[in-house]
Amino acid sequence: MASTVTDEPSKYSPDSPSHPGYGSLLRTRGAWTFLLPGFAARQPFAMLTISIVLLVQHTTGSYGAAGAAAAATGVSMALFAPYSGRLADRYGQRAVLLPGVLVHTFSGLTLTALALAHAPLWALFAAAVPTGASVPQIGPMVRARWGVKLKDSPLMPTAAAFESVTDELTFVLGPLLATALCTAVTPSAGLITEASLTLVGGLLFAARKSTQPPVTAHGHARVAHESALRVPGVRVLVVAFLGIGSVFGGMQVSLAAFTESIGEPGLNGVLYGVFAAGNMLSGLVCGAIAWRVAPQRRLVVGYAALALTASGLWAAHSALVLAGLGLLVGMSIAPSLITGYTLVEKLVPAGARTEAFTWLTGAVALGQAAAVTVAGQLEDRLGDGTGFLVPMGGTVLALATLIALRSRLAVRPSGRTVARGVGHRVPMTVD
């Protein structure tokens, strides 16, 4: 795949390819030492919510209680994720990861034990909060390591696309693995596996000190740590990602309720897998295209497709129709996610970019938390697929915000665009 970067090859390697692609990227020396543990350690974000929903619903019989427990985890993650990213920039990734993975593992196992012991809901909340707050922010950390490894190499846009596809693959494998473990092994297997992956993957990732971004003197400067949320475009993107989170949360609860209502709980993993596969496939395509359309325009168009497809979910009353709509919804999510991350790279100064990424991942978690709560209450009280109204409402409101405030996403011309972070292969200028 040809790169759109027009500068000279990077000095990072004497044999930098003139036409870089995924193969060249993965042959980068030392890349696999942080990619493999990083992939294992980033699974908690995709596994955690559905594992909590399935376990707590099993022990309490209530989707409302399950959604509330999962929501406590998501809210705490959303609140603490940007702070975690800021600490990693200031003190180094290892200093944040080591205590974080230990706290997350202990909290997750405690939550599992409390649920199996039929503890009251307040006790589940008490364990869910530190579980969510300590979820390691591996995705932004991996992107930062690519930036150190490649610098201004022509492989940098390829790395950005690769990370976007990896995010989508995580959303495919995580919920599928959690659902299979909870339904085929034991309801607690999802959370136990999630905690184990966090511990092993997180410690191995933290051990790779040679690839983490160096902590320099300017990392402590106040100017370098102004909140990324001060950028107007980031606030608009946060709303968009809240809507995306409402799709993940609403689908997880509503698909579980639907398959149980038709007496086929095993179909839950299949239907969610179809949805997630559409997400990953469209992510692969989006990452391979050299886009010429402005990213803010792509985001509005892609999000309109997401809102349209999500609006039809509540009317589906057969597994086949629901699978088809779920595939279309999944195919609409990836373009919106990838384009949103692309805009962060263009809108946010380099010193606040890692924090900006964590604001977006936190927004997805918060939207997911709100969605599982509301969808769980709707399914408990009304049933009949009413939980699917949550993805429709979340995406429609977010789309209205995007259209009204799309001017804040416009990228102002500048002499330099830093080729670091997540996004497509987009044309860029460099000094």
Side-chain angles (χ1 to χ4, degrees):
M1 290 180 293
S3 173
T4 55
V5 180
T6 58
D7 58 312
E8 294 297 320
S10 170
K11 297 179 181 179
Y12 92 101
S13 171
D15 55 352
S16 295
S18 58
H19 297 286
Y22 289 125
S24 300
L25 177 73
L26 296 178
R27 288 192 296 271
T28 300
R29 183 178 301 173
W32 286 105
T33 63
F34 64 86
L35 285 180
L36 287 178
F39 185 78
R42 71 206 297 174
Q43 291 302 312
F45 180 74
M47 293 182 66
L48 188 58
T49 299
I50 187 63
S51 296
I52 293 175
V53 167
L54 294 176
L55 173 61
V56 177
Q57 195 279 330
H58 172 79
T59 57
T60 65
S62 169
Y63 282 105
T73 305
V75 169
S76 62
M77 176 185 166
L79 293 176
F80 280 87
Y83 185 61
S84 174
R86 184 176 297 188
L87 288 176
D89 280 338
R90 180 172 296 184
Y91 300 109
Q93 295 181 1
R94 180 182 171 88
V96 175
L97 278 172
L98 289 179
V101 296
L102 295 176
V103 171
H104 183 80
T105 302
F106 177 78
S107 301
L109 294 177
T110 300
L111 176 59
T112 303
L114 289 171
L116 292 175
H118 300 280
L121 193 57
W122 67 263
L124 299 182
F125 286 165
V129 170
T131 300
S134 57
V135 170
Q137 300 301 310
I138 299 295
M141 292 182 182
V142 170
R143 293 179 182 105
R145 293 190 183 215
W146 275 124
V148 171
K149 201 75 177 171
L150 300 176
K151 294 184 170 59
D152 59 349
S153 163
L155 280 172
M156 196 59 227
T158 309
F162 177 80
E163 282 306 308
S164 298
V165 172
T166 303
D167 281 339
E168 305 310 321
L169 183 60
T170 299
F171 282 117
V172 172
L173 296 181
L176 279 179
L177 178 60
T179 301
L181 289 169
C182 291
T183 56
V185 182
T186 178
S188 62
L191 267 179
I192 293 173
T193 303
E194 183 271 342
S196 301
L197 284 173
T198 300
L199 180 64
V200 176
L203 291 179
L204 289 175
F205 185 80
R208 305 307 303 175
K209 295 187 292 183
S210 61
T211 58
Q212 76 172 354
V215 179
T216 56
H218 69 76
H220 297 279
R222 180 176 299 178
V223 66
H225 292 286
E226 290 185 0
S227 176
L229 210 58
R230 293 171 63 90
V231 180
V234 172
R235 297 196 291 269
V236 178
L237 291 174
V238 165
V239 174
F241 276 56
L242 282 168
I244 292 173
S246 76
V247 177
F248 286 117
M251 290 285 283
Q252 288 173 353
V253 171
S254 302
L255 285 177
F258 173 80
T259 54
E260 184 175 323
S261 70
I262 64 173
E264 297 286 349
L267 278 179
N268 183 25
V270 175
L271 291 177
Y272 197 90
V274 171
F275 159 72
N279 193 3
M280 184 186 69
L281 291 175
S282 63
L284 284 168
V285 173
C286 287
I289 295 176
W291 294 95
R292 298 183 181 275
V293 181
Q296 63 268 27
R297 183 176 301 177
R298 298 203 310 268
L299 182 60
V300 172
V301 173
Y303 216 96
L306 175 60
L308 179 63
T309 54
S311 296
L313 290 171
W314 69 275
H317 296 289
S318 74
L320 186 61
V321 174
L322 196 55
L325 283 172
L327 178 67
L328 294 176
V329 173
M331 293 176 66
S332 302
I333 283 181
S336 300
L337 276 174
I338 295 174
T339 308
Y341 283 125
T342 300
L343 282 165
V344 166
E345 181 186 347
K346 293 177 172 295
L347 294 170
V348 180
R353 206 166 288 156
T354 301
E355 182 196 348
F357 287 136
T358 58
W359 273 112
L360 297 191
T361 57
V364 173
L366 184 59
Q368 192 174 19
V372 295
T373 303
V374 177
Q377 293 292 336
L378 289 173
E379 290 291 352
D380 276 350
R381 297 173 185 273
L382 302 176
D384 199 29
T386 50
F388 287 117
L389 292 172
V390 175
M392 179 180 73
T395 53
V396 168
L397 290 174
L399 176 62
T401 302
L402 275 178
I403 293 174
L405 302 177
R406 62 187 181 277
S407 62
R408 300 187 180 184
L409 299 175
V411 179
R412 292 177 172 81
S414 63
R416 182 171 64 96
T417 300
V418 179
R420 185 168 72 87
V422 182
H424 302 297
R425 296 178 167 196
V426 290
M428 60 188 72
T429 58
V430 278
D431 289 336

